[in-house]
Amino acid sequence: MFARIAAFEFRYQLKNPVFWVAGVIFFLLTFGSIASDNIQIGGRGATHANSPYAIALTTLTLSIFFMFVTTAFVSNVVVRDDETGFGPMVQSTPVSKGAYLMGRFAGAWLAAALAFAVIPLAILIGSFMPWIDPEKLGPLNLGHYLFAYFGLGLPSLFATGAILFALATATRSMMATYVGVIGLLILYFITLTTLRQLQLSSVAPWADPFGIGAYSQA
């Protein structure tokens, strides 16, 4: 039952305009950071535009802003059932609450993960543009893109998605969930700034839920 609910939710989210709009926006933003000198994401320094460090840092940096997209997916699951009255109908069936909630979350999160895949894809496509100076590019290695997506991007996406889904389930409000996202970002930047001012840079990576500090330090 879990798999069927997750598959239903995944198909539903693929029809959601948010999926396509977010995919296009993040693709163009990422593509522009590679194909144009006027857009910089993360600050790759003197490394190649398609170096493993640049790919990873771009993916991790955009995962922060992608929280708003993830919120639209996972919060919509809970709020939609309340607005349509479908939730109480499901609760009257033999479907367990755990399978129902986790199936809905899994389907919504998989849709968000698929939309997030445009980021490494845009970096890959952008690196083939003919107007880019060849000296700014390194050799092609698909493993760098796969690691950035599966090893760095998706864990961050899962952690924030789970937090936001729990918040949406508790509040039953899209507005409250978005306020929670903003609060999380404010707390994140304040914490990192405070730790740096206290010269506790070695502690900062442990307080970074997105992994940027840990990856940069490593």
Side-chain angles (χ1 to χ4, degrees):
M1 186 59 69
F2 165 82
R4 295 176 65 180
I5 294 175
F8 167 81
E9 186 61 35
F10 179 73
R11 291 192 300 269
Y12 178 88
Q13 294 293 348
L14 292 185
K15 300 175 184 178
N16 191 340
V18 174
F19 175 84
W20 299 102
V21 172
V24 170
I25 291 176
F26 275 84
F27 179 88
L28 293 177
L29 181 62
T30 309
F31 178 84
S33 70
I34 300 299
S36 173
D37 293 332
N38 297 323
I39 302 177
Q40 294 290 329
I41 299 177
R44 61 176 181 264
T47 63
H48 288 139
N50 62 342
S51 69
Y53 178 76
I55 296 171
L57 199 60
T58 299
T59 303
L60 287 171
T61 301
L62 288 178
S63 70
I64 298 177
F65 302 100
F66 201 82
M67 277 202 307
F68 290 96
V69 180
T70 307
T71 302
F73 284 110
V74 300
S75 300
N76 176 264
V77 172
V78 180
V79 177
R80 186 175 77 239
D81 285 348
D82 281 355
E83 291 179 348
T84 60
F86 185 69
M89 293 174 59
V90 175
Q91 294 171 8
S92 64
T93 67
V95 179
S96 66
K97 185 176 181 179
Y100 174 69
L101 287 177
M102 291 302 99
R104 281 298 184 87
F105 170 73
W109 182 82
L110 286 174
L114 182 59
F116 189 75
V118 303
I119 293 174
L121 179 63
I123 300 174
L124 178 62
I125 295 176
S127 64
F128 284 99
M129 294 300 102
W131 59 80
I132 300 180
D133 186 354
E135 293 185 358
K136 295 182 179 181
L137 299 173
L140 173 63
N141 189 328
L142 293 178
H144 298 160
Y145 297 90
L146 294 176
F147 173 73
Y149 178 68
F150 289 101
L152 300 176
L154 288 192
S156 174
L157 200 68
F158 181 80
T160 55
I163 294 172
L164 297 173
F165 181 74
L167 181 60
T169 304
T171 61
R172 303 284 174 172
S173 170
M174 288 284 288
M175 180 61 69
T177 308
Y178 276 112
V179 171
V181 173
I182 297 173
L184 180 61
L185 286 176
I186 293 175
L187 180 62
Y188 168 69
F189 288 116
I190 290 178
T191 300
L192 291 186
T193 301
T194 303
L195 290 175
R196 291 194 185 101
Q197 290 178 346
L198 295 176
Q199 297 183 347
L200 297 174
S201 57
S202 61
V203 181
W206 296 93
D208 186 350
F210 303 101
I212 298 177
Y215 184 80
S216 298
Q217 188 178 71

